[in-house]
Amino acid sequence: MGMNLIQKATTKLRERFAARGLVLMYHRISEPGLDPWGLSVSPDHFVEQLEVIKKYFYPLGMQEFLRHLQRGRVPNRSIVVTFDDGYVDNLHHAKPLLERSDVPATIFIVTEAIVKGQNFWWDQLEWALLQPGMLPDCLELRLNGSRNEWQLGDARRYSQQDRRKDRQRRPWDARPGTRLAFFYLIWQRLQKLSKLERLEALDMIRAWAGVSHHARPQDRVLSKDEINVLAEGGLIELGAHTISHPSLQVLSASQQMEEISGSKAQLENIIGHPVKNFSYPHGEYSMETIGLVKRAGFEGASTTNFRCVLPGADPFQLPRFQIDDWSGEEFLRRLARWYVAT
Ligand SMILES: [Zn+2]
């Protein structure tokens, strides 16, 4: 019993002082008028964050980092930069800045949007529902054969000012009865639908709101050609992030496999060489999912578990920290806190 306690304390101490690394998760380097999910870091802030990484940390590419991990090591203060989804600003804003500071990155691509040249469904929904202006009184949707109805009330109106205020607000914090709260209700409903039902629902919503098919051009995803330009120069590695960005753990094993190895095959088809890394959409996975990712031939997979990487970490459950639109100073403060506390 006493021995056990001492062993526990020793392990804790060893962990406390072990070398550790951090994997960072970005999505977009841009300044959209509205960013309900907090996916964007401004180019200016990204420059400051890269300066902090260069000055205080040791940036590594994912493959090199995994090679260290396989040997049971994590270089102290190592940082791996990753991006999820595959927005076009990764090429136009992120790549030149990464190159200027010589920081490698891995970009995880959702392949269906790229193959079909579409915007992501959550951006299409934002385009339809969060433009300043009036919407009709009531939204009626037939989903899974059942009728759904939402009365908008005050949410019918949405001014430029409302939208500006929503810049700082997350949808789950929206005041009930507001347009942002309405958007979140519909997002939650659509999130649970199958791919096909969601497409139908988006068509109905667009027609109801009277908006065109296309979302903002700056919200678009990379094209096939742009993906190849992104990978030129060797500083950026590409990884897979499923075909359609579902929550994997609620799908059957065969549906999961289709999403996981299907996105690997589609991406390899575009870039012409093996894709070795994966990231779980929404950070959601089960033990079954991990097995499928291994079977599909990946060498590592990134989660959104909020921790540092310690020696002995599972390469198929790499923790990551989501980075917000912070100044360099704030970014350093956060990294330092995570570094000692996690
Ligand atoms: Zn994602």
Side-chain angles (χ1 to χ4, degrees):
M1 185 69 187
M3 196 54 213
N4 205 354
L5 273 177
I6 288 168
Q7 271 170 353
K8 265 190 193 158
T10 312
T11 311
K12 265 232 158 84
L13 271 176
R14 208 179 288 137
E15 273 181 9
R16 190 89 176 77
F17 297 106
R20 58 194 64 201
L22 296 90
V23 186
L24 309 184
M25 173 174 64
Y26 292 88
H27 289 85
R28 306 187 56 182
I29 303 302
S30 66
E31 292 175 282
L34 195 62
D35 187 13
W37 310 109
L39 301 181
S40 297
V41 172
S42 74
D44 287 349
H45 281 164
F46 191 53
V47 167
E48 292 178 23
Q49 295 181 1
L50 286 171
E51 279 165 10
V52 167
I53 291 175
K54 290 292 280 190
K55 193 165 170 194
Y56 299 99
F57 294 88
Y58 176 39
L60 282 180
M62 181 63 90
Q63 280 304 109
E64 199 183 344
F65 184 74
L66 287 177
R67 274 197 295 277
H68 286 288
L69 202 57
Q70 278 153 10
R71 289 186 218 117
R73 297 195 313 239
V74 172
N76 199 21
R77 279 188 279 139
S78 48
I79 273 192
V80 182
V81 170
T82 71
F83 285 79
D84 277 11
D85 298 348
Y87 283 96
V88 70
D89 51 65
N90 292 184
L91 174 63
H92 297 303
H93 297 158
K95 190 185 185 196
L97 299 175
L98 289 164
E99 282 176 341
R100 211 172 73 191
S101 52
D102 198 31
V103 171
T106 296
I107 300 186
F108 296 106
I109 305 280
V110 178
T111 51
E112 185 179 63
I114 277 134
V115 171
K116 294 191 174 164
Q118 291 167 340
N119 285 68
F120 294 122
W121 74 262
W122 54 89
D123 287 325
Q124 294 184 38
L125 187 69
E126 184 200 323
W127 177 248
L129 299 184
L130 292 176
Q131 300 303 313
M134 292 289 278
L135 286 176
D137 288 326
C138 174
L139 172 63
E140 234 187 271
L141 291 180
R142 262 188 190 288
L143 305 168
N144 305 327
S146 71
R147 204 172 134 273
N148 297 253
E149 192 183 291
W150 292 267
Q151 294 290 339
L152 273 76
D154 286 344
R156 284 171 63 221
R157 275 177 289 276
Y158 196 51
S159 66
Q160 292 282 1
Q161 204 193 355
D162 293 333
R163 193 166 185 273
R164 253 195 313 277
K165 284 187 190 156
D166 284 344
R167 181 76 177 80
Q168 308 303 327
R169 211 170 270 140
R170 295 289 167 260
W172 51 88
D173 292 330
R175 231 168 350 104
T178 59
R179 180 70 72 85
L180 190 62
F182 170 66
F183 164 78
Y184 189 47
L185 283 176
I186 306 300
W187 180 88
Q188 285 173 302
R189 192 70 186 82
L190 260 56
Q191 160 86 342
K192 294 194 194 101
L193 297 178
S194 71
K195 243 192 303 192
L196 209 66
E197 289 166 337
R198 192 185 299 130
L199 282 178
E200 284 173 10
L202 277 169
D203 276 341
M204 289 188 270
I205 292 168
R206 257 194 298 270
W208 170 81
V211 298
S212 80
H213 222 75
H214 305 282
R216 263 183 306 275
Q218 61 266 40
D219 288 342
R220 75 177 176 83
V221 300
L222 292 151
S223 70
K224 289 183 190 176
D225 288 345
E226 286 166 336
I227 286 196
N228 280 299
V229 179
L230 193 62
E232 273 170 18
L235 196 62
I236 292 175
E237 294 169 24
L238 297 171
H241 191 39
T242 72
I243 292 178
S244 69
H245 210 273
S247 294
L248 286 169
Q249 90 277 31
V250 301
L251 300 181
S252 71
S254 68
Q255 286 170 321
Q256 289 188 58
M257 201 50 175
E258 196 184 316
E259 285 279 350
I260 294 164
S261 66
S263 68
K264 186 174 194 285
Q266 286 185 342
L267 190 55
E268 286 174 347
N269 194 24
I270 296 171
I271 62 175
H273 60 83
V275 170
K276 294 174 178 163
N277 284 287
F278 183 78
S279 96
Y280 303 102
H282 311 284
E284 293 174 344
Y285 60 96
S286 63
M287 293 321 276
E288 185 181 46
T289 314
I290 296 174
L292 295 170
V293 169
K294 286 182 187 170
R295 191 138 61 85
F298 288 102
E299 293 175 10
S302 295
T303 69
T304 54
N305 302 332
F306 207 79
R307 279 200 303 279
C308 287
V309 185
L310 291 166
D314 179 357
F316 289 88
Q317 293 184 73
L318 283 177
R320 284 191 297 175
F321 295 102
Q322 178 161 357
I323 305 305
D324 222 326
D325 188 20
W326 296 313
S327 67
E329 207 180 313
E330 176 66 16
F331 176 71
L332 178 59
R333 205 167 21 240
R334 304 261 177 170
L335 294 189
R337 198 186 307 151
W338 299 334
Y339 195 78
V340 291
T342 58

